[in-house]
Amino acid sequence: MEIEPDLLQQQIEKAKKGKQTAFNYLLDRFWNDVYGFQLKRTQNEYDAEDITIQAFSRAFDKIDTFDPKYTFKTWIITISKNIHVDLVRKKNASIRARTTDEEDERVHRIPDETPSIEDTLITEQNLAQLLIDIKKLKPHYQEVIHLRYFQEKSYKEIAAQLQEPINNVKVKILRAKKLLAEVIEKRTS
């Protein structure tokens, strides 16, 4: 999909001024590019998605440093590439620094299957359907939707609970809302 350079520059300028719609535009426009790039590098959907979220978080945090003589796509992909390189270095250093046995590794991969509070909230048809739609999202997107819209927590509270930077939380919520809208649209069309 070709993008008009003037429109992109306008959105970048709006993002520099903190306009949420501009961040949404940039996330929507470049998510697949960054995610696809990382999926090829990592060969792992979860890692690719996590790195992509971190890349957008860092890019939005540092949007003022973007130099228009470069393309935004190249800039954001370079950020994601640097994050991936840092993660690989940390992982390799961690492996060398300590020995781990297989049981420790398996403990880190156990998914949390605790029943959600949302199940008790089904009192009307629209809410029930919404919850069904939310459950179609990946667990980490379900969690941020639940924390933000059902528990009405602030970005800061969610970041503290998830032990993640606030910008990662913002990007996850943006992405979760977009994916949820796609699920609802698919169901209603």
Side-chain angles (χ1 to χ4, degrees):
M1 170 170 87
E2 191 60 36
I3 187 166
E4 187 179 317
D6 292 338
L7 174 63
L8 177 58
Q9 192 55 43
Q10 288 171 356
Q11 294 299 323
I12 291 169
E13 290 306 315
K14 287 180 183 177
K16 286 182 178 184
K17 294 176 184 170
K19 301 290 183 194
Q20 190 65 39
T21 56
F23 290 124
N24 288 348
Y25 174 85
L26 294 171
L27 182 73
D28 288 346
R29 174 59 189 92
F30 295 102
W31 176 271
N32 289 340
D33 295 322
V34 178
Y35 177 76
F37 176 79
Q38 283 302 328
L39 190 57
K40 286 178 186 171
R41 288 176 65 98
T42 63
Q43 301 288 311
N44 179 302
E45 287 182 18
Y46 178 78
D47 290 345
E49 192 167 54
D50 191 46
I51 292 168
T52 302
I53 287 169
Q54 288 182 50
F56 277 98
S57 173
R58 193 170 295 169
F60 291 165
D61 194 37
K62 306 281 187 193
I63 193 78
D64 288 335
T65 67
F66 174 70
D67 186 345
K69 70 181 178 185
Y70 301 105
T71 65
F72 188 82
K73 179 179 172 181
T74 302
W75 185 67
I76 188 84
I77 286 177
T78 301
I79 290 171
S80 79
K81 181 178 158 195
N82 291 339
I83 290 169
H84 181 244
V85 167
D86 288 346
L87 290 173
V88 168
R89 283 184 189 147
K90 284 179 189 173
K91 184 178 178 184
N92 289 341
S94 174
I95 288 170
R96 283 191 298 269
R98 64 182 175 91
T99 59
T100 60
D101 59 330
E102 286 184 26
E103 194 163 311
D104 284 345
E105 287 296 317
R106 275 188 261 133
V107 168
H108 292 297
R109 285 187 257 136
I110 296 173
D112 183 10
E113 296 177 5
T114 322
S116 70
I117 271 181
E118 297 151 2
D119 295 331
T120 61
L121 296 176
I122 301 175
T123 55
E124 51 185 91
Q125 189 64 29
N126 289 341
L127 181 56
Q129 186 58 57
L130 178 61
L131 291 172
I132 289 167
D133 292 339
I134 289 171
K135 293 226 182 257
K136 292 177 183 173
L137 301 177
K138 290 184 179 179
H140 58 278
Y141 290 136
Q142 291 178 32
E143 183 177 27
V144 294
I145 293 264
H146 176 73
L147 292 171
R148 181 72 176 155
Y149 298 105
F150 288 90
Q151 292 188 11
E152 298 179 350
K153 293 191 181 239
S154 69
Y155 290 129
K156 187 176 182 180
E157 291 170 324
I158 295 169
Q161 184 169 337
L162 299 179
Q163 297 179 346
E164 290 187 25
I166 196 164
N167 280 335
N168 282 21
V169 169
K170 289 179 181 179
V171 171
K172 276 187 182 177
I173 290 171
L174 278 175
R175 184 72 179 147
K177 286 178 4 184
K178 180 182 186 316
L179 293 171
L180 182 58
E182 289 173 4
V183 166
I184 292 168
E185 186 177 317
K186 194 180 291 183
R187 176 179 48 80
T188 59
S189 57

